[in-house]
Amino acid sequence: MRPRHLRRRGALAAAATTLAVLCAGQTLAAPQAAAAPVATQEVRTSPASEVHAAEDAAARAVAAALTDPSWRVRVRQAALTSEEVDLTALADGALRTTLAAADRRIAAAKGLAPDVGPLLRLRLGDPSMRGALTAGARPWVAAATSDDGPVTAYDSTGRTHTLDARETPARPVYVVDIDGSRALAAGLDVLHEELARRGVRSAGPAPEPQQARTSAAAAGLWTTRISAVSLSDDQEPWIKGDAEIYTLVTGFGHDGKVRVDPVDMPYLDDDGTVYRPQQILVNWSSYKYDLADAVMMEDDGSTNYRDLAKAIAAILLTVTDQGAYIPLVNAVLDAIPDDWWTDDPDYVDSWYTLARTDNGTRHGARGNGWMTLEPYFVQEL
């Protein structure tokens, strides 16, 4: 994930039934010493723990490699000149091999293809650490945590240090994290493909019905556009990077079956900031009714998109068109069983019964965000 995190956890415990399938796992071998073999057993591991285990092993490997003066200088220069660094590309030799294995493990845990590209990133934990790092202080290395508990950091000798997630340390800390933008973009493709494979229409360019056209000269389609959007400030810990926000727009397609259209919102970086994206949220030509719902989600790095699609499809395919619009927010929120969670749910907010004629500010159902919406006609070329 990118720096300057914006997670929405203030009231997420109340939404324990939202979307996100979190993770589990085995530890990767560091370049200096191989991890002990894991006994073969039938134990289900969650994506969240798998992702965090891979990140933690990568952090230990990077810390151990800091005994090499040339590597130490290379990382310092990269961390001081970039907000985040492609960690696998920066490394070489045995360390690169270890980090490449971690990348593949993370991709698998998130339900992504192995060729998604390098996901591991390294960043300085907080801008306030730049002075000490420039002055030559020896940094520690930590994995981005998936909760608000103590942070475990590693030094180059392999010793562990416990840090307060709420108090930024004076010593510089490199944080090993995931490229959330790359992972989310690939994940939404997987979500779309998997939903379609399971019989739920998703994000496909559905043909506009003839009756929606006013005339051949004015052919086009009506959409709802976001002219402004903002989410609440929650003062997150220094260790966490930016959230990656997306919205699931749901409604009934022209065939009377539920459809889910994912919308990526990569610009939502900071809480308490008003963004004016002019982004299309709903393409009304894809829907039977003049109403749709929207569920805004966060990928905290550990969502398995194939599992997410499977869970959503299992619930939504049981909802049938009764000849009148049925809100689908609750069905989406109920799609994921409670026991899939190991961290706060990734639910941000939801909007019930968005209408094509909506023109103004709509606040989310849980009060964590608002969007100013407007009808927007896309003229056919």
Side-chain angles (χ1 to χ4, degrees):
M1 288 179 260
R2 301 171 309 220
R4 300 184 314 279
H5 182 68
L6 107 105
R7 292 193 191 253
R8 328 274 177 240
R9 303 188 184 268
L12 297 187
T17 54
T18 49
L19 319 178
V21 197
L22 307 183
C23 352
Q26 310 162 3
T27 308
L28 296 169
Q32 284 73 20
V38 179
T40 301
Q41 52 183 333
E42 293 296 325
V43 177
R44 170 176 173 157
T45 57
S46 74
S49 57
E50 179 76 12
V51 169
H52 184 65
E55 289 178 323
D56 188 71
R60 287 189 283 109
V62 170
L66 290 175
T67 55
D68 180 348
S70 63
W71 167 251
R72 192 163 59 244
V73 170
R74 191 188 316 168
V75 178
R76 178 190 298 126
Q77 291 176 340
L80 289 174
T81 56
S82 301
E83 285 189 341
E84 62 178 13
V85 181
D86 182 340
L87 186 54
T88 304
L90 188 67
D92 51 26
L95 179 59
R96 175 175 284 192
T97 300
T98 297
L99 296 177
D103 270 323
R104 292 190 296 271
R105 189 183 295 275
I106 291 169
K110 292 178 66 60
L112 305 177
D115 61 352
V116 65
L119 294 174
L120 285 171
R121 293 293 185 269
L122 180 141
R123 57 182 166 83
L124 195 58
D126 190 83
S128 64
M129 301 173 181
R130 295 177 63 86
L133 184 63
T134 303
R138 290 291 184 95
W140 294 338
V141 186
T145 58
S146 59
D147 54 38
D148 297 337
V151 176
T152 299
Y154 303 95
D155 63 27
S156 58
T157 68
R159 290 179 299 182
T160 61
H161 305 269
T162 301
L163 303 175
D164 188 338
R166 293 287 175 179
E167 183 175 350
T168 305
R171 177 183 291 273
V173 178
Y174 294 143
V175 178
V176 174
D177 208 342
I178 294 174
D179 183 344
S181 296
R182 180 191 293 266
L184 179 57
L188 292 185
D189 286 342
V190 170
L191 183 64
H192 161 62
E193 294 168 3
E194 194 69 16
L195 284 171
R197 191 176 73 82
R198 295 179 178 277
V200 177
R201 289 187 178 273
S202 171
E208 183 187 8
Q210 187 64 35
Q211 62 268 26
R213 300 175 181 268
T214 56
S215 70
L221 55 91
W222 279 102
T223 68
T224 289
R225 186 168 68 172
I226 304 171
S227 59
V229 59
S230 184
L231 298 172
S232 301
D233 182 13
D234 57 13
Q235 301 179 359
E236 275 299 330
W238 61 271
I239 190 68
K240 292 181 177 178
D242 270 353
E244 301 296 337
I245 300 297
Y246 61 100
T247 295
L248 301 178
V249 179
T250 64
F252 289 91
H254 296 293
D255 58 1
K257 296 180 181 179
V258 172
R259 63 178 294 125
V260 178
D261 296 325
V263 178
D264 192 0
M265 308 178 84
Y267 49 85
L268 275 171
D269 286 339
D270 296 305
D271 294 0
T273 299
V274 177
Y275 293 91
R276 303 185 185 278
Q278 303 301 313
Q279 180 184 26
I280 290 176
L281 179 67
V282 186
N283 174 358
W284 292 105
S285 71
S286 297
Y287 294 89
K288 176 180 179 179
Y289 297 106
D290 197 20
L291 296 171
D293 294 341
V295 179
M296 188 178 288
M297 303 295 298
E298 168 200 354
D299 177 3
D300 67 354
S302 54
T303 303
N304 183 299
Y305 290 93
R306 294 193 188 279
D307 287 351
L308 179 59
K310 179 180 178 180
I312 293 173
I315 294 295
L316 293 188
L317 287 174
T318 67
V319 181
T320 58
D321 181 10
Q322 302 296 318
Y325 184 72
I326 302 171
L328 297 170
V329 168
N330 292 349
V332 172
L333 298 186
D334 289 341
I336 307 302
D338 293 348
D339 60 2
W340 285 20
W341 299 99
T342 60
D343 186 25
D344 291 340
D346 294 307
Y347 171 56
V348 176
D349 214 328
S350 52
W351 286 261
Y352 289 77
T353 58
L354 299 176
R356 196 185 79 173
T357 55
D358 280 346
N359 192 356
T361 299
R362 290 282 307 267
H363 290 268
R366 64 175 293 263
N368 194 46
W370 57 263
M371 292 189 289
T372 299
L373 306 172
E374 60 183 8
Y376 182 71
F377 187 76
V378 179
Q379 191 76 37
E380 185 175 284
L381 290 176

